[in-house]
């Protein structure tokens, strides 16, 4: 079983829809990251959080440490949000990142 | 502009050949990392370095080598011992605060293909 599980693997939405991507993990962590990877391959860090909730524009990330679960929400989705969204946790003996496999989001106009 | 650069964007390797992927950062970050990404899999850590002249193996170091002679540079060599090198390689860097890494910043990646 992977230490970081994301769901769904693939998600197709219509423009304007509210989107939720989930991440569950099975290890002790000090922080959790949400990353965005565009088709060209470059990765951008969206959030790093260790408790509660963070908001940036139309993006909201939440984490529940007790349940070992995080969600990434996108409000009023837009085709430019189409990307792969990756959850990564800071864990392990060396405190390195452990990555989920990603959720591929496609927003149709 | 501060950031991380990787070169080349595409790299072709012949059988039995060593190739080196470049990673440079001007963010004054202490730590640098190399990841490999394969289709349908999460990123996997190859090597990382938290200080000049020191580096540690990650989860999949076999067939790879690195050096950290300068803070800004962390080149990755894919040796002929790496039997399945075709992948997308990402370099990242981060500050260290109290020994713990902060947000990682990623380069644009290098796609390695075997001829």
């Amino acid at each position: 079983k992977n230490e970081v599980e994301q769901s769904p693997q693939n998600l197709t939405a219509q423009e304007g829809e509210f989107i939720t991507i989930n991440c569950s993990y099975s290890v002790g962590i000090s922080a959790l990251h949400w990353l965005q990877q565009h088709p060209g391959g470059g990765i951008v860090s969206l959030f790093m959080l260790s408790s509660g909730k963070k908001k940036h524009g139309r993006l909201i990330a939440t984490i529940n440490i007790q349940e070992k679960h995080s969600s990434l929400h996108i409000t009023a989705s837009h085709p430019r949000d189409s990307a792969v969204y990756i959850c990564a946790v800071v864990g392990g003996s060396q405190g390195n990142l452990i990555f989920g496999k990603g959720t591929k989001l496609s927003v149709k106009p | 502009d501060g950031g991380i650069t990787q070169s080349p964007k595409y790299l072709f390797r012949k059988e039995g050949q060593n190739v080196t992927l470049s990673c440079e950062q001007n963010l004054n970050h202490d730590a640098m990392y190399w990841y490999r990404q394969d289709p349908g899999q999460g990123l996997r850590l190859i090597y990382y370095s938290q200080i000049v002249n020191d580096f540690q193996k990650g989860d999949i170091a076999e067939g790879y080598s690195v050096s950290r002679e300068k803070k800004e540079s962390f080149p990755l060599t894919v040796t002929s011992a790496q039997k399945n090198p075709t992948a997308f390689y990402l370099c990242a860097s981060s500050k260290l605060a109290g020994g713990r890494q902060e947000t990682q910043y990623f380069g644009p990646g290098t796609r390695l293909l075997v001829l």
Side-chain angles (χ1 to χ4, degrees):
Chain A
K1 187 180 187 302
N2 293 328
E3 293 169 303
V4 180
E5 295 275 2
Q6 287 185 236
S7 63
Q9 288 184 7
N10 293 282
L11 180 57
T12 299
Q14 286 299 127
E15 184 173 356
E17 284 185 2
F18 180 83
I19 288 162
T20 296
I21 299 170
N22 296 298
C23 175
S24 297
Y25 53 91
S26 58
V27 295
I29 70 168
S30 58
L32 181 143
H33 295 255
W34 280 102
L35 309 168
Q36 181 190 56
Q37 185 172 31
H38 279 281
I43 290 179
V44 174
S45 179
L46 299 174
F47 296 103
M48 182 173 81
L49 64 164
S50 53
S51 65
K53 174 180 173 179
K54 285 191 176 180
K55 184 175 189 291
H56 182 68
R58 295 181 293 107
L59 301 177
I60 303 166
T62 64
I63 187 168
N64 185 317
I65 297 292
Q66 286 74 28
E67 294 187 3
K68 295 189 174 180
H69 181 268
S70 175
S71 293
L72 176 69
H73 305 285
I74 304 175
T75 62
S77 60
H78 190 276
R80 65 174 175 264
D81 297 325
S82 298
V84 175
Y85 291 85
I86 300 170
C87 172
V89 301
V90 182
S93 58
Q94 301 296 325
N96 288 317
L97 288 179
I98 305 169
F99 293 83
K101 294 182 179 181
T103 294
K104 185 174 182 180
L105 171 65
S106 178
V107 181
K108 305 294 186 187
Chain B
D1 286 288
I4 301 177
T5 56
Q6 289 186 241
S7 62
K9 189 171 182 179
Y10 296 94
L11 185 58
F12 298 91
R13 193 190 93 162
K14 295 180 182 178
E15 293 286 343
Q17 188 181 40
N18 292 355
V19 291
T20 297
L21 285 62
S22 168
C23 178
E24 304 276 333
Q25 54 97 2
N26 60 4
L27 300 167
N28 198 33
H29 285 172
D30 298 297
M32 297 186 74
Y33 312 83
W34 273 107
Y35 297 98
R36 171 180 171 140
Q37 188 177 37
D38 293 281
Q41 294 198 38
L43 276 72
R44 292 181 290 169
L45 181 65
I46 304 172
Y47 268 99
Y48 66 100
S49 168
Q50 295 188 334
I51 194 170
V52 173
N53 291 324
D54 188 46
F55 46 83
Q56 308 295 330
K57 291 183 179 180
D59 301 318
I60 54 165
E62 186 173 348
Y64 300 98
S65 66
V66 293
S67 63
R68 187 88 186 276
E69 297 177 2
K70 298 186 298 181
K71 188 176 184 179
E72 304 78 23
S73 179
F74 192 41
L76 173 74
T77 296
V78 184
T79 75
S80 56
Q82 173 49 245
K83 298 306 178 189
N84 185 22
T86 297
F88 188 58
Y89 291 87
L90 284 153
C91 178
S93 70
S94 71
K95 287 183 183 178
L96 292 176
R100 302 185 82 95
Q101 61 175 277
E102 298 189 346
T103 299
Q104 289 192 19
Y105 293 79
F106 288 82
T110 292
R111 194 165 297 277
L112 176 61
L113 299 164
V114 176
L115 295 176

